[in-house]
Amino acid sequence: MLQRLEMLGRFTLGRQESRIDSGEVWRRCLAPFLDEARADPDGFFGELGELLRGDAGGFAALGAGQLAWEALSDESLTNPAVAPFVDAGIDFKLARGLTRYDLAPYEVGRLSRRQSGT
């Protein structure tokens, strides 16, 4: 699972630079998990949090945030089980020198919520 999330994170950060096939990302990193993540987001992302405990802010965390967005769309911005992954992905990008303008729209929405304290 960690390898799949890392692949998704690398693809998310730089689709061209990663040289990872988008079809492979879909088959390995998204499709197998979407139904379960949608059916029980708290349980699914709670277990994912346990798995990612040692990867606070790496490619796997970025991938988990992307998986959350793909599974839950706008709910990923407010779901307490998901917020740590989206936050870790944002922090990972900012730590790498990217700016707010380099964030995905859902990440900008989450960053705004964080900064306003909601």
Side-chain angles (χ1 to χ4, degrees):
M1 183 69 181
L2 284 175
Q3 290 175 331
R4 292 176 188 210
L5 291 172
E6 183 175 337
M7 176 191 281
L8 180 55
R10 289 183 184 281
F11 180 78
T12 299
L13 189 62
R15 292 170 192 250
Q16 298 289 54
E17 298 83 13
S18 73
R19 299 184 184 271
I20 299 170
D21 179 80
S22 61
E24 186 71 9
V25 169
W26 173 254
R27 280 188 300 282
R28 293 191 67 217
C29 307
L30 294 171
F33 309 110
L34 292 177
D35 288 341
E36 185 179 352
R38 289 175 181 145
D40 180 17
D42 294 338
F44 181 84
F45 289 104
E47 288 180 24
L48 205 56
E50 292 298 317
L51 181 66
L52 287 172
R53 188 168 300 280
D55 186 65
F59 282 107
L62 179 61
Q66 183 65 37
L67 175 59
W69 173 255
E70 296 290 340
L72 305 175
S73 202
D74 288 338
E75 184 186 334
S76 68
L77 302 179
T78 58
N79 185 309
V82 173
F85 306 120
V86 178
D87 288 344
I90 292 167
D91 294 341
F92 179 67
K93 287 181 172 182
L94 296 177
R96 294 178 67 89
L98 280 75
T99 69
R100 181 183 186 100
Y101 299 106
D102 298 309
L103 300 177
Y106 76 92
E107 291 170 322
V108 172
R110 176 64 189 159
L111 184 60
S112 295
R113 285 180 170 281
R114 261 179 29 183
Q115 291 172 336
S116 69
T118 60

